[in-house]
Amino acid sequence: MKITRTNALKGTVSVPGDKSISHRSVMLGSIADGITEVHHFLQGADCLSSIACFRQMGIHIENDGNIVRIHGQGLHGLKSPSDVLDTGNSGTTTRLMSGILSGQNFECVINGDASIQSRPMKRIITPLSMMGASIESLRGNDCAPLKITGQKLHGIHYDSPVSSAQVKSAILLAGLYAEGETSVTEPVLSRNHTELMLKGCGGDITSVGTTATLRPVKRLEAQKIVVPGDISSAAYFMAAGLIVPSSEICIENVGINPTRDGMIRVCQAMGGDIKLENVHEVCGEPVADIIVRHSSLHGTVVEGEIIPTLIDELPIIAVMAAFAEGQTIIRDAAELKVKESDRIAVMSENLTAMGVDVTPTDDGMIINGGKMPHGAQIQSHLDHRIAMSFAVAALASEGETEIIGSDCVNISYPTFYRDLFQLAK
C-alpha cells in the first residue's frame, strides 16, 4: 500500500462493530440457552476465528455478513472438537475460550498462528490452574499450543498482577463452571464488556471498584446484542482528523465505555477539538457520535491508570505525538511488547524511518514532535494496528509512504483503507 499526503479529510464514517464485544457475543451466545442475535458484528479475521472454533464444538452459527445468529446449547452443550481449535491471530479467542474449556468434560488443543504461538499464556494458565484446570503448554514455553483437559473447578479470589480484560474474562468464564464464588481484583479496572454481557444474559455478577465477583448460575439466557462501533477502530479517524489540516470528521455510533475511552481523554489533553454528540445507551454500553476537527496538538504524558483504557490505541497516539509540538512521554505500557508485535520496538523503528525523534524505553517511548515527518517504507510486522497507524501518519507527511504487509488490517477492519481514503479531499 502506497499513500501520499492529502489536503483534508471531510465527511462521516461508520466504523465496524467493537471487536471485544463481538468475540464475547459468540462465546456467551454459544453457552446460553436459545438463539442469540448479534447486529453489527465485526466481520474481521479475529472474530471469525471465534465463530469457527465454536462451530467446531457443535454450535450452529449463522452469519449473513452483518447479523450473526448463535444457536446456544447451554452451559454444558459444547461437544469435543475433532481437530485442533485454530484461533488464528486472536489472543482474545485463545485466552477467553481457555476459561470456558477448562470446565468442560472433554480434552482439546488450542493453537494459532506464529504470533499466537509467541504470546504469553502463563497469565491465564496460573489462575485457571489455581481453579483446578488442567492446561499444558505443549512446547513447555507457556505459549500455545495449549492442551486443555476439562476438570471440575472451584472458585478462587485472584489478585491479578496485570490489568487485562483477557485475564479477568478467562477467570470469570471459568467461574461459570466452578463450585463457589469466583472473583478477580485488578490493579486498575480493565475493559468490562464481559461483566456487562454476563449481566445481560442472566449471570450473577457484581463489580465493586476493581473487583468483579461471579457466582455460578444454572443457565444463561440468549439475548439480542447490538454491537457499537469499535473505539479502537475509531481512534485512527480521530487522529487523522486532528493531524490532517482543514479536516472535520463525524464518526457515528462509537462505543464510549469509560473503561475504553482513554483515547478521547488523551486527544483532549493534547489540545484536540473532539466533541461527543447523540450520547445514548445500547445493550448496556454507552454510545455516541464523535466529531473531530483539525487542531494544533501539544505533547502530553500518558501513564498510570489511563493505560488499560487505551492499550490498543497507543500506536496511533504515538503517531499523534509525532505531529504535536513538544514532548510526549508514554510509560507504564510494557504490555505493548507482547501484543501482535513488540509495539514499542516496531513503532520506534518506523517513526525513526519517518524522521521522528523517538526514544524507546522499557515501558513505552519518548517522542519529540514538531518536525514534519516524511514518507518512508514501513514494516507492519503483520500487526494491524501498526499498519493503520502509519496509514494515518502518511496522510499528513511529506512524500510517499509504503506500508509492507498492509493487508493485515483484515484482522480487525477489512474496509479500513476504503473508509479512510473516501474522506480525502
Side-chain angles (χ1 to χ4, degrees):
M1 178 67 67
K2 293 181 179 178
I3 305 171
T4 54
R5 186 177 172 86
T6 188
N7 293 325
L9 298 169
K10 291 187 183 291
T12 299
V13 65
S14 294
V15 295
D18 187 278
K19 189 160 166 265
S20 297
I21 295 173
S22 296
H23 277 301
R24 286 156 174 80
S25 69
V26 172
M27 297 187 197
L28 287 176
S30 295
I31 59 175
D33 286 306
I35 300 173
T36 293
E37 189 173 278
V38 188
H39 293 252
H40 199 221
F41 184 89
L42 171 60
Q43 300 289 335
D46 274 12
C47 296
L48 296 179
S49 291
S50 285
I51 287 179
C53 286
F54 280 87
R55 280 176 171 161
Q56 273 185 263
M57 292 185 282
I59 302 301
H60 176 46
I61 301 175
E62 304 169 73
N63 181 5
D64 71 3
N66 185 37
I67 298 175
V68 172
R69 292 180 181 85
I70 304 138
H71 295 253
Q73 297 297 310
L75 284 165
H76 302 283
L78 299 179
K79 294 182 170 59
S80 177
S82 58
D83 204 350
V84 171
L85 293 168
D86 182 1
T87 62
N89 187 250
S90 178
T92 303
T93 309
T94 306
R95 294 191 178 114
L96 270 63
M97 193 167 65
S98 294
I100 292 172
L101 293 173
S102 293
Q104 303 303 316
N105 61 357
F106 54 78
E107 178 182 288
C108 60
V109 174
I110 302 179
N111 202 5
D113 66 8
S115 168
I116 285 296
Q117 290 173 20
S118 67
R119 293 178 71 178
M121 294 298 157
K122 188 172 184 181
R123 53 182 55 188
I124 59 159
I125 293 172
T126 296
L128 293 175
S129 298
M130 289 165 63
M131 298 176 76
S134 171
I135 305 183
E136 180 188 355
S137 168
L138 291 179
R139 293 181 184 152
N141 61 352
D142 291 326
C143 297
L146 301 176
K147 178 181 174 183
I148 302 179
T149 307
Q151 304 284 338
K152 285 191 171 175
L153 305 178
H154 54 82
I156 59 168
H157 174 77
Y158 188 62
D159 280 306
S160 180
V162 292
S163 292
S164 164
Q166 292 182 1
V167 172
K168 173 174 63 177
S169 298
I171 298 165
L172 293 174
L173 291 171
L176 292 169
Y177 299 92
E179 195 175 301
E181 188 175 275
T182 297
S183 61
V184 184
T185 298
E186 304 180 277
V188 178
L189 185 64
S190 66
R191 56 186 70 175
N192 65 350
H193 304 302
T194 300
E195 296 96 301
L196 293 175
M197 197 177 290
L198 273 167
K199 200 168 286 186
C201 58
D204 184 357
I205 185 162
T206 54
S207 298
V208 178
T210 62
T211 299
T213 302
L214 178 135
R215 287 157 289 277
V217 291
K218 287 193 164 47
R219 66 200 302 267
L220 298 174
E221 298 285 348
Q223 57 183 322
K224 178 182 175 183
I225 297 169
V226 179
V227 183
D230 194 325
I231 194 167
S232 295
S233 296
Y236 303 100
F237 295 95
M238 291 159 65
L242 292 176
I243 68 173
V244 175
S246 306
S247 294
E248 182 172 345
I249 302 172
C250 172
I251 315 156
E252 295 181 313
N253 289 314
V254 180
I256 54 166
N257 184 307
T259 64
R260 295 282 300 282
D261 71 352
M263 177 68 182
I264 296 172
R265 288 184 270 156
V266 167
C267 288
Q268 290 170 337
M270 296 178 80
D273 182 354
I274 286 194
K275 292 184 174 59
L276 303 181
E277 295 185 354
N278 188 25
V279 179
H280 59 290
E281 197 170 280
V282 177
C283 298
E285 294 277 357
V287 176
D289 297 336
I290 300 175
I291 313 297
V292 55
R293 296 179 181 87
H294 174 250
S295 305
S296 296
L297 302 180
H298 55 76
T300 189
V301 178
V302 186
E303 64 182 350
E305 294 195 359
I306 202 171
I307 293 293
T309 71
L310 47 61
I311 192 70
D312 287 334
E313 288 74 78
L314 285 171
I316 190 62
I317 288 171
V319 166
M320 285 165 46
F323 290 89
E325 285 296 328
Q327 187 176 79
T328 295
I329 300 172
I330 299 171
R331 60 168 75 106
D332 301 325
E335 187 72 11
L336 289 175
K337 293 180 178 178
V338 293
K339 290 291 187 177
E340 283 84 337
S341 66
D342 177 344
R343 288 179 178 161
I344 293 174
V346 172
M347 286 303 300
S348 299
E349 163 199 320
N350 285 319
L351 285 172
T352 298
M354 297 184 87
V356 178
D357 179 0
V358 55
T359 304
T361 64
D362 285 344
D363 64 349
M365 57 193 91
I366 301 166
I367 301 154
N368 292 303
K371 180 184 165 193
M372 172 65 74
H374 56 72
Q377 187 179 81
I378 299 299
Q379 300 293 338
S380 72
H381 293 264
L382 301 182
D383 185 330
H384 55 133
R385 304 215 182 274
I386 300 296
M388 290 189 278
S389 295
F390 282 96
V392 170
L395 292 177
S397 298
E398 298 286 359
E400 182 180 83
T401 296
E402 181 182 15
I403 300 173
I404 307 300
S406 56
D407 285 353
C408 61
V409 302
N410 293 334
I411 287 167
S412 64
Y413 196 161
T415 61
F416 172 71
Y417 297 115
R418 184 194 75 191
D419 291 355
L420 186 63
F421 298 151
Q422 74 179 11
L423 298 171
K425 302 300 174 193

